[in-house]
Amino acid sequence: MTPKKRPLILITNDDGIHAKGIRALIQIMQKIGDVVVMAPEEPMSGMSHSITSLIPLRARLIEKKEFYQEYACAGTPVDCVKLAQHLFFQEQKPDLVVSGINHGSNASINIIYSGTMGAALESSMNGFPSIGFSLLDYSKDADFLAAEPFILQIVEDVLRNDLPKNVCLNVNIPAVKTEEIKGIRICRQANACWVDSYENRIDPRGHNYFWLTGDFKANGITEEDDIWALDNNYISVVPVQYDFTHYECIDNLKGRLENV
Amino acid sequence: MTPKKRPLILITNDDGIHAKGIRALIQIMQKIGDVVVMAPEEPMSGMSHSITSLIPLRARLIEKKEFYQEYACAGTPVDCVKLAQHLFFQEQKPDLVVSGINHGSNASINIIYSGTMGAALESSMNGFPSIGFSLLDYSKDADFLAAEPFILQIVEDVLRNDLPKNVCLNVNIPAVKTEEIKGIRICRQANACWVDSYENRIDPRGHNYFWLTGDFKANGITEEDDIWALDNNYISVVPVQYDFTHYECIDNLKGRLENV
């Protein structure tokens, strides 16, 4: 099966419509498909799977030309997916949703805080094949195009072969030159956590405020983990789903809590 | 093993410090433990696992007396857990974190949007036994105390037996009288999604805005699912974890994408 001519691709992110990462992703995707962009007006880092329900949403047209439409949405990344679906995909579904390229890692436990991956998960919940891309580089000069051949390889594979229902991909890219990328590795989400701290400060009026800081702590990393792949200059690809059930616990808890 | 005398309990929620649901949970927990409350200043429904990192956080003391401290935090439910840990639990960890009682269901796929469950998951990531409670009633007159005996049963079980590392409980309560609750069922997260829509409106200046609406759609519900339990007047308890990896996909994707 060959990919359709000019697939319809929705692009979003969590760093906002002006971010360098989404500009690179738009540039890459325009080479292969018709593109609709719906991304947050403002940076939405750490917004996870949050939605706007207490206030209404707005969207603003930025550019519209043949094969390309771009909108900014005054909401979260997940809002962007939901609103784009409502406005543009009632009849023709997108062939692919890509989210990113995120400025910074969404490997391991970072996925749970990630708006980039929130949008990808939401897309897969709506039945759209979807991929979140992140680059492990926070610097202003980050090179979002270094991994372009690999991004195209992954995108073209998903367009050709699809993904299982309710599964999307969490793709993280090491911050190295194209020729230093060793290839792609399919991984599991590494077991890790943030050991948080806050920097306490006092404002000019004498009141306390707190800045979040923290150290990333990985546990027992093996070659199967995304963290290992990235540390070794591979692109990590984790197939991701959203059933939170811990099945192994069910029987034990049944014995303790059910009165049946 | 008997529970410690006066366990130390952190309480948070996503409906905000003034919500009726957290007031009921505080009332119940004060019967068995020393309580610290750190809850959002404002309603934070649908905030999922989001964190505040682009601006600093603030917290405000509301009440402090023997065995009880209450603070409001200008952040998300997950921020509340992180900041409470920083301020109060450096030396003595909480014996339990309870989140809720949420106004409305967090069963099935609602967990992924839920700030109540975001706080519970964050707590378990920090090594604290934690439980999210939700009542399937949005009305002003919702009776958050009807399930008190069951809430105490679950809490006392967790204090006595603990939970496996990285697991917390998602507890949902049907909106019925105490005597109509048939008992507790240990369940899996039902397969369901929201079929979203937006109501388009036009503001007085002629601009479009959009209100999120939607229909909940469950797929192939069986007696193992939380939705079934709730529909049949049981309290549903789902053990919950945060490894998003879809392990079954890994081998197939290796064959397609790895160049090793």
Side-chain angles (χ1 to χ4, degrees):
Chain A
M1 209 170 70
T2 50
K4 280 190 249 179
K5 291 260 149 68
R6 307 293 298 170
L8 179 58
I9 301 173
L10 170 65
I11 304 181
T12 190
N13 77 343
D14 77 352
D15 292 311
I17 193 82
H18 304 296
K20 199 173 162 187
I22 197 169
R23 294 293 133 192
L25 198 53
I26 291 168
Q27 184 181 327
I28 299 169
M29 292 302 115
Q30 281 187 305
K31 293 180 182 173
I32 57 168
D34 296 352
V35 167
V36 177
V37 180
M38 174 76 80
E41 285 275 11
E42 295 182 13
M44 287 275 163
S45 269
M47 285 306 276
S48 184
H49 212 97
S50 60
I51 51 171
T52 301
S53 60
L54 302 176
I55 56 169
L57 277 184
R58 290 174 186 269
R60 183 168 66 87
L61 175 67
I62 293 184
E63 190 181 353
K64 189 170 183 170
K65 58 185 182 188
E66 209 175 6
F67 311 127
Y68 187 78
Q69 297 177 60
E70 182 180 325
Y71 301 83
C73 167
T76 68
V78 170
D79 289 331
C80 289
V81 171
K82 286 182 183 286
L83 190 59
Q85 179 179 21
H86 173 69
L87 293 176
F88 309 120
F89 306 124
Q90 297 289 327
E91 282 164 24
Q92 191 189 354
K93 287 189 172 192
D95 298 293
L96 182 71
V97 182
V98 288
S99 179
I101 302 172
N102 191 62
H103 296 228
S105 171
N106 281 320
S108 182
I109 195 59
N110 295 312
I111 187 176
I112 205 169
Y113 303 103
S114 165
T116 301
M117 288 308 301
L121 282 158
E122 179 68 24
S123 300
S124 76
M125 287 158 60
N126 289 315
F128 311 148
S130 63
I131 312 171
F133 291 101
S134 307
L135 176 66
L136 275 63
D137 194 335
Y138 285 101
S139 73
K140 222 165 29 107
D141 307 321
D143 180 7
F144 286 94
L145 292 174
E148 176 171 347
F150 298 97
I151 290 172
L152 282 171
Q153 184 193 342
I154 295 164
V155 161
E156 282 166 358
D157 176 86
V158 170
L159 285 169
R160 209 165 25 239
N161 300 305
D162 212 342
L163 289 168
K165 201 166 140 54
N166 305 340
V167 175
C168 64
L169 301 182
N170 182 15
V171 177
N172 282 266
I173 301 163
V176 297
K177 293 181 188 146
T178 312
E179 60 272 22
E180 292 173 291
I181 297 175
K182 285 203 201 135
I184 293 169
R185 276 184 78 98
I186 314 300
C187 306
R188 69 178 176 214
Q189 174 185 322
N191 182 356
C193 63
W194 283 93
V195 180
D196 296 310
S197 188
Y198 284 87
E199 226 183 274
N200 304 15
R201 297 195 182 175
I202 296 173
D203 73 20
R205 287 163 294 134
H207 299 137
N208 285 308
Y209 64 100
F210 305 94
W211 279 108
L212 180 61
T213 63
D215 294 312
F216 186 76
K217 191 178 150 226
N219 301 308
I221 297 302
T222 75
E223 291 189 11
E224 308 304 312
D225 291 307
D226 53 3
I227 296 292
W228 184 93
L230 292 159
D231 284 347
N232 288 275
N233 287 357
Y234 288 96
I235 289 172
S236 68
V237 176
V238 179
V240 157
Q241 55 84 44
Y242 45 84
D243 180 357
F244 289 72
T245 312
H246 191 293
Y247 288 94
E248 295 76 8
C249 279
I250 286 181
D251 282 344
N252 179 269
L253 285 168
K254 273 184 192 280
R256 278 157 54 176
L257 281 170
E258 283 193 0
N259 313 311
V260 187
Chain B
M1 209 171 72
T2 51
K4 282 189 249 179
K5 290 262 148 70
R6 305 296 297 173
L8 179 59
I9 302 173
L10 171 64
I11 304 181
T12 190
N13 78 342
D14 77 354
D15 293 309
I17 193 81
H18 304 296
K20 198 173 163 187
I22 197 169
R23 294 293 133 193
L25 197 54
I26 292 168
Q27 183 181 328
I28 299 170
M29 290 303 116
Q30 281 188 303
K31 293 181 181 173
I32 58 166
D34 297 352
V35 167
V36 177
V37 179
M38 174 76 81
E41 285 275 11
E42 295 181 13
M44 287 275 161
S45 268
M47 285 305 277
S48 183
H49 212 96
S50 60
I51 51 172
T52 303
S53 59
L54 303 177
I55 56 168
L57 276 185
R58 291 175 185 268
R60 183 168 65 88
L61 175 66
I62 292 183
E63 191 181 353
K64 189 169 182 171
K65 58 186 183 187
E66 208 175 6
F67 313 126
Y68 187 77
Q69 296 178 60
E70 182 179 324
Y71 299 83
C73 167
T76 67
V78 170
D79 289 332
C80 289
V81 171
K82 286 183 183 286
L83 190 59
Q85 179 179 21
H86 173 70
L87 294 175
F88 309 120
F89 305 126
Q90 296 290 326
E91 283 165 24
Q92 192 190 352
K93 287 189 172 192
D95 298 293
L96 181 71
V97 182
V98 288
S99 181
I101 301 171
N102 190 62
H103 296 229
S105 172
N106 281 320
S108 182
I109 195 58
N110 295 311
I111 186 176
I112 204 169
Y113 303 102
S114 163
T116 301
M117 286 309 300
L121 281 158
E122 179 68 25
S123 301
S124 75
M125 288 159 60
N126 289 313
F128 312 148
S130 63
I131 311 169
F133 291 101
S134 305
L135 177 67
L136 274 65
D137 194 336
Y138 285 101
S139 73
K140 219 165 31 104
D141 305 323
D143 179 6
F144 286 94
L145 293 174
E148 177 172 346
F150 298 95
I151 291 171
L152 281 170
Q153 183 194 342
I154 295 164
V155 161
E156 282 165 359
D157 176 85
V158 170
L159 286 169
R160 211 167 21 240
N161 300 305
D162 211 343
L163 288 168
K165 201 168 144 48
N166 306 340
V167 175
C168 65
L169 301 182
N170 182 14
V171 177
N172 282 267
I173 302 163
V176 297
K177 293 182 188 145
T178 312
E179 59 272 21
E180 291 171 294
I181 298 175
K182 283 201 202 139
I184 293 169
R185 277 183 78 97
I186 314 300
C187 305
R188 69 179 176 214
Q189 174 186 322
N191 182 357
C193 64
W194 283 93
V195 180
D196 296 311
S197 187
Y198 285 87
E199 226 184 275
N200 303 16
R201 297 196 182 175
I202 297 173
D203 73 19
R205 286 161 295 134
H207 299 136
N208 284 309
Y209 63 100
F210 305 93
W211 279 107
L212 180 61
T213 62
D215 293 313
F216 186 76
K217 189 177 150 226
N219 302 307
I221 297 304
T222 75
E223 291 190 12
E224 307 304 312
D225 291 307
D226 52 2
I227 297 291
W228 185 92
L230 292 159
D231 283 348
N232 288 275
N233 287 356
Y234 288 95
I235 289 173
S236 69
V237 176
V238 178
V240 158
Q241 55 84 43
Y242 45 85
D243 180 357
F244 289 72
T245 313
H246 191 293
Y247 287 94
E248 294 76 10
C249 279
I250 286 181
D251 282 343
N252 179 269
L253 286 168
K254 272 183 194 281
R256 280 158 52 176
L257 283 170
E258 282 193 4
N259 313 310
V260 187

